[in-house]
Structure formats: C-alpha cells, structure tokens
Amino acid sequence: MSAIKEKILVIGASGQIGVELTLALRKIYGGANVIAADLREENELLKGSGPYVSLDIMNKEMLHVLILRQNITQIYLLAAILSATGEKNPNLAWHLNMQGLLNVLDIAREENLHKVYWPSSIAVFGPTSPKQNCPQQTIIEPTTVYGISKYAGEFWCNYYHQRYGVDVRSLRYPGLISYKSAPGGGTTDYAVEIYHDALEEKHYECFLSENTYLPMMYMPDAIRATIELMEAPQEAISVRHSYNLSAISFSPKEIAASIQKHIPDFTISYKPDSRQTIADSWPQSIDDSVAQRDWNWKPEYDLDAMTADMLKNLTK
Ligand code: NAD
Ligand code: AKB
C-alpha cells in the first residue's frame, strides 16, 4: 500500500486543526510516520502518539534540513495568523501567512515532495461577494489582511502547480467547531466558546450580534474533508486555487437555541465588537458543488448533531 511509504510533516500541529489532523493522520500512516511541528509546545493530546519537533516556519533553512533528514514526502501547513488576531498586527499576519507558504512550496518543488496541503478560508470572500450560496468562482475582494493573505496564497498554490507541477491541494474551510483543542484568534471562535460557557456559566456574552449567519463546520467533517481531498486521485482535482467547502450555516441565536434543547436555563446576551465588521464582510453560506462533484464531498453533521456531540464530549 502506498500509504506506508509516506512520511508526513504537520506544521502548526498544536493548533485547533493541527491536533486532530495529526491524530487522524497517525491512525492512517502510523505514529512514527507523522511528525508534528509547531512554534509552541507539544499539545497534551499529541504526547506519546508520535514524534514532535519545535519549528519556526519562517526559518526556511531549518525546515529544509528537517525535510531532508526525516525523508518527508508530504507537508500539511497549518501555521497561520487568523482573522481577528491578524487585524491587530496586519504586517505580521501578512509576513507569516505568505512567507510560511512560500517556504513550503519552494522546498516541495526542490525536493519533489509528493503532496502539500494548505488551507484557505471563507475569509477570502469580501462584502462584494454573494452572501448566499457563495460560488466557487465569483467576485472576491477581501477586506481583512487574513483574507488578503489567503487569497494571495491560493494564487501561489495554483502557480506552483501549473508552473512546477507541485501537487498542492487546498480547502476554503468555514469556521470550525471542536472540543479537543481551542481555536486560535478567529471571528468564528464564538461558536466554540459558547459551548464551554453554556456548561460552566449557563450564560454566554457573544461578540457577534444575534442574527449574524456564518458558514460553519464540525471538526470531524473538516478532518474527513481534508483527508478525502488529499487521497483523491490527481485527475479528479480540477481546482488548484482552493475548493469551497460547506456544511452548516447558523446565527448566534440559532446555536443558543440548539444548546437550550439540552440546557434549558442557558441564556445568551450580545455585545458585538470589532469582529462584527469582519463577520459582516463574509458570506452567510457557501456553494461547494464543485467539491461535491470532484471528490464526492458530503458533510455529516448538522447544527443539532454537532451540539449534542460537543456537549457530550465537553461534559466528560
Ligand atoms: P491555530 O491558530 O489554532 O493554530 C496554528 C498553529 O500554528 C498554532 O499552534 C501556532 O503555534 C502555530 N504557529 C504559528 N506561527 C508559527 C510559526 N512561525 N512556525 C510554526 N508554527 C507556528 O489555527 P487553526 O485554527 O488550527 O488553523 C490552521 C489553518 O487552517 C490556518 O491556515 C487557518 O487559516 C486555517 N483555517 C482555520 C479555520 C478555523 O476555523 N480554525 C477556518 C478556516 C481556515
Ligand atoms: C476565522 O474566523 O478567522 C477562521 C476562518 C473562518 O478562517 N475561523
């Protein structure tokens, strides 16, 4: 089986997606064949499941040496600065999000790596994009530095594929909701915080207004989508920028109502802050028919199924 020959490097492995993706990849490829790397310390959930290295993605030389020494064949690049944190330090966000990707793409080209995965985001879309069922190809004028860096990154991925044949694949994730690892500075983070506060305080003060609809997805669906995309045959991949990906769309009011089915005395209040402007610039729902057509994408979790699973696991 070809999977046995792969040696994978996950960069940003201690983050919200990195922890769960690393664990899922280790199940498929074996713990020793999936190296977790991050600037920060190894996440507790990863300890004992496989190798961990401390790595700064901006240090291209160190990255290159690691890839050669460990005979890496695939890279999953997850290190980035997300939307809300990016607005606090736009220069840093641009620098990390762009240079990190270019370092990986360059080395992938030079060393003929088998595959690269790099996530984009629904943040590429801006106020001029359609709000409902936002299509794969449409007007894209992002207004956050995070969205600008993701959109530019999509073009670099396509360029390295077209010009150098690098097999780089990408998904425009919606906001991701998980119980294993905390989110890292995004606008959609409220949809994770709300479950914690519902269980601990029976109240949540939301930083977005009650009718702010955003595209969202439960982490198990996101991990499965990532692995299905990466396992799809080359000839099935028609999009080398980044695929639209969709599962659920809901507002703070609706997620609160879903939680109240389990915790009837849970209450929510609203105090929108600067993240409201970011949320208002994004679509409310996404058309992912191209991903459905190319590699049979289909989400499993709706809002209530996600709520039941989140509350069950956070209660444990
Ligand atoms: P996160 O902030 O939780 O994790 C990112 C990880 O990268 C952190 O552990 C951080 O320590 C690490 N990192 C930061 N700078 C680094 C550096 N210089 N070198 C090495 N590691 C470094 O982010 P996440 O939510 O896991 O997101 C992962 C990727 O998915 C990002 O590209 C993000 O834009 C994208 N994405 C995430 C979401 C979401 O809802 N979580 C949605 C859309 C896209
Ligand atoms: C964020 O809110 O910044 C992320 C994203 C949608 O990219 N969750």
Side-chain angles (χ1 to χ4, degrees), residues 62-94:
M62 190 182 155
L63 175 67
H64 205 154
V65 169
L66 177 70
I67 286 164
L68 291 177
R69 281 211 184 127
Q70 295 292 336
N71 298 312
I72 297 297
T73 60
Q74 295 189 23
I75 298 180
Y76 287 69
L77 171 58
L78 305 172
I81 291 179
L82 279 74
S83 59
T85 309
E87 291 312 291
K88 291 184 192 142
N89 196 338
N91 283 333
L92 181 66
W94 173 257

Side-chain angles (χ1 to χ4, degrees), residues 62-302:
M62 190 182 155
L63 175 67
H64 205 154
V65 169
L66 177 70
I67 286 164
L68 291 177
R69 281 211 184 127
Q70 295 292 336
N71 298 312
I72 297 297
T73 60
Q74 295 189 23
I75 298 180
Y76 287 69
L77 171 58
L78 305 172
I81 291 179
L82 279 74
S83 59
T85 309
E87 291 312 291
K88 291 184 192 142
N89 196 338
N91 283 333
L92 181 66
W94 173 257
H95 192 51
L96 174 73
N97 294 0
M98 276 299 88
Q99 200 54 52
L101 174 61
L102 288 172
N103 287 349
V104 166
L105 290 174
D106 261 346
I107 299 171
R109 169 172 71 93
E110 284 168 38
E111 303 305 336
N112 289 314
L113 298 193
H114 297 171
K115 281 177 202 169
V116 173
Y117 177 75
W118 172 83
S120 182
S121 162
I122 53 127
V124 294
F125 299 114
T128 49
S129 305
K131 284 277 172 219
Q132 304 300 338
N133 294 321
C134 189
Q136 177 71 44
Q137 284 172 318
T138 184
I139 298 172
I140 300 188
E141 296 175 328
T143 48
T144 61
V145 69
Y146 175 62
I148 298 169
S149 72
K150 288 294 182 189
Y151 198 36
E154 291 186 4
F155 281 90
W156 278 117
C157 290
N158 187 58
Y159 183 86
Y160 270 74
H161 176 71
Q162 299 292 340
R163 174 136 191 212
Y164 305 118
V166 175
D167 187 356
V168 52
R169 304 177 183 200
S170 178
L171 297 172
R172 289 173 178 156
Y173 290 132
L176 301 181
I177 294 136
S178 61
Y179 61 88
K180 286 190 185 159
S181 42
T187 304
T188 58
D189 294 9
Y190 91 85
V192 179
E193 290 171 7
I194 194 170
Y195 289 108
H196 290 268
D197 283 15
L199 287 167
E200 286 156 26
E201 321 279 345
K202 292 205 178 351
H203 180 76
Y204 179 63
E205 184 173 271
C206 187
F207 58 77
L208 297 182
S209 62
E210 61 181 332
N211 290 319
T212 307
Y213 282 83
L214 285 172
M216 300 279 192
M217 180 177 282
Y218 196 32
M219 191 61 88
D221 272 341
I223 300 298
R224 190 169 51 79
T226 308
I227 290 170
E228 284 177 8
L229 171 73
M230 290 300 275
E231 287 182 348
Q234 281 238 42
E235 57 279 12
I237 309 295
S238 71
V239 175
R240 290 293 179 168
H241 290 85
S242 188
Y243 278 99
N244 273 12
L245 190 71
S246 173
I248 341 170
S249 176
F250 57 79
S251 63
K253 193 175 165 182
E254 287 180 354
I255 192 174
S258 179
I259 291 171
Q260 280 157 349
K261 290 178 190 169
H262 301 261
I263 309 172
D265 53 347
F266 168 66
T267 56
I268 183 167
S269 57
Y270 303 94
K271 197 177 174 195
D273 65 17
S274 58
R275 288 168 281 191
Q276 183 69 47
T277 314
I278 301 176
D280 288 342
S281 76
W282 292 347
Q284 297 182 346
S285 61
I286 299 287
D287 172 357
D288 64 358
S289 50
V290 181
Q292 292 175 34
R293 181 199 67 198
D294 282 4
W295 43 278
N296 299 317
W297 165 243
K298 198 170 184 298
E300 278 176 5
Y301 286 86
D302 63 14

